[in-house]
Amino acid sequence: MSPMLKIGLEVGPLVLFFAANAYGGIYVATGAFMVATFAALALMWVLARRIAVMPLVSAVVVLVFGTLTLWLQDDHFIKMKPTIINAAFGALLLGGLVARKPLLPYVFDGMVKLTDAGWRALSIRWGVFFLVMAVVNEVVWRLFSTDTWVAFKTFGYLPLTLAFAMAQAPLMSRHELKEQAETPSPQD
């Protein structure tokens, strides 16, 4: 699957969430977000015959917290979802390092090959980033209006994540494992 299509499938439900909130409010947006999230997962499966771990975990949390939001008519649940996902991802990444088993290589699924030091540094950075984003989400949803939170979730969270990801390129470049050129055997 092309990187742009993958990003589109991950961002599409979020953009729909923003649009649905503008037209129908947070509960309509939550329902639309749930449907769009699972439609995106289904499309990922059809196109790639696999679903990455992070979108799958996010979808399960969307299902649980979206259902609670709609069933109890309480928007606190959908607002807490990013906090819980970010805190869980941050804790898992940092916890994997404590257990001496970095989990980030599984997320990248072989697309990137780094030295052990590179995986460790990248895991620390992403772990801290996710924890910071959990705190930021808490601040935004607790101190600002629902519309402001939705706008931040759509137009703030994604650009911050993309900027952070791009800022990791130099570290990844420094620690990339290069494919060793095949050397001829002595018999050749």
Side-chain angles (χ1 to χ4, degrees):
M1 185 179 333
S2 78
M4 291 308 292
L5 180 58
K6 186 176 179 188
I7 289 171
L9 289 173
E10 290 178 12
V11 173
L14 192 56
V15 172
L16 182 62
F17 179 70
F18 176 78
N21 182 70
Y23 290 105
I26 192 68
Y27 300 112
V28 170
T30 299
F33 186 52
M34 292 170 66
V35 170
T37 297
F38 284 94
L41 280 182
L43 196 53
M44 283 180 199
W45 177 257
V46 167
L47 295 173
R49 287 289 181 227
R50 61 186 309 255
I51 298 171
V53 173
M54 288 180 75
L56 185 59
V57 170
S58 293
V60 169
V61 176
V62 165
L63 177 65
V64 170
F65 283 84
T67 300
L68 287 170
T69 297
L70 296 176
W71 185 33
L72 300 173
Q73 290 293 290
D74 185 349
D75 64 357
H76 288 95
F77 292 104
I78 200 68
K79 291 176 180 177
M80 289 188 302
K81 180 201 70 82
T83 300
I84 291 167
I85 286 177
N86 285 318
F89 285 159
L92 284 170
L93 289 175
L94 296 174
L97 291 177
V98 170
R100 300 205 187 284
K101 184 70 177 161
L103 301 174
L104 210 49
Y106 298 107
V107 174
F108 279 90
D109 194 28
M111 293 185 305
V112 177
K113 297 185 184 328
L114 301 177
T115 64
D116 289 343
W119 284 122
R120 197 169 27 263
L122 196 61
S123 294
I124 290 169
R125 289 179 180 190
W126 275 106
V128 170
F129 174 79
F130 282 129
L131 293 177
V132 167
M133 292 306 287
V135 170
V136 168
N137 185 68
E138 281 296 298
V139 168
V140 173
W141 86 260
R142 290 180 185 273
L143 298 181
F144 298 96
S145 71
T146 296
D147 288 341
T148 300
W149 174 78
V150 170
F152 169 75
K153 181 159 174 33
T154 307
F155 300 110
Y157 185 85
L158 184 62
L160 286 172
T161 303
L162 291 174
F164 180 80
M166 290 188 311
Q168 304 318 302
L171 176 129
M172 293 172 71
S173 179
R174 277 193 312 276
H175 291 280
E176 184 179 12
L177 286 174
K178 308 287 188 230
E179 293 289 327
Q180 293 183 0
E182 290 201 26
T183 55
S185 64
Q187 293 95 5
D188 292 342

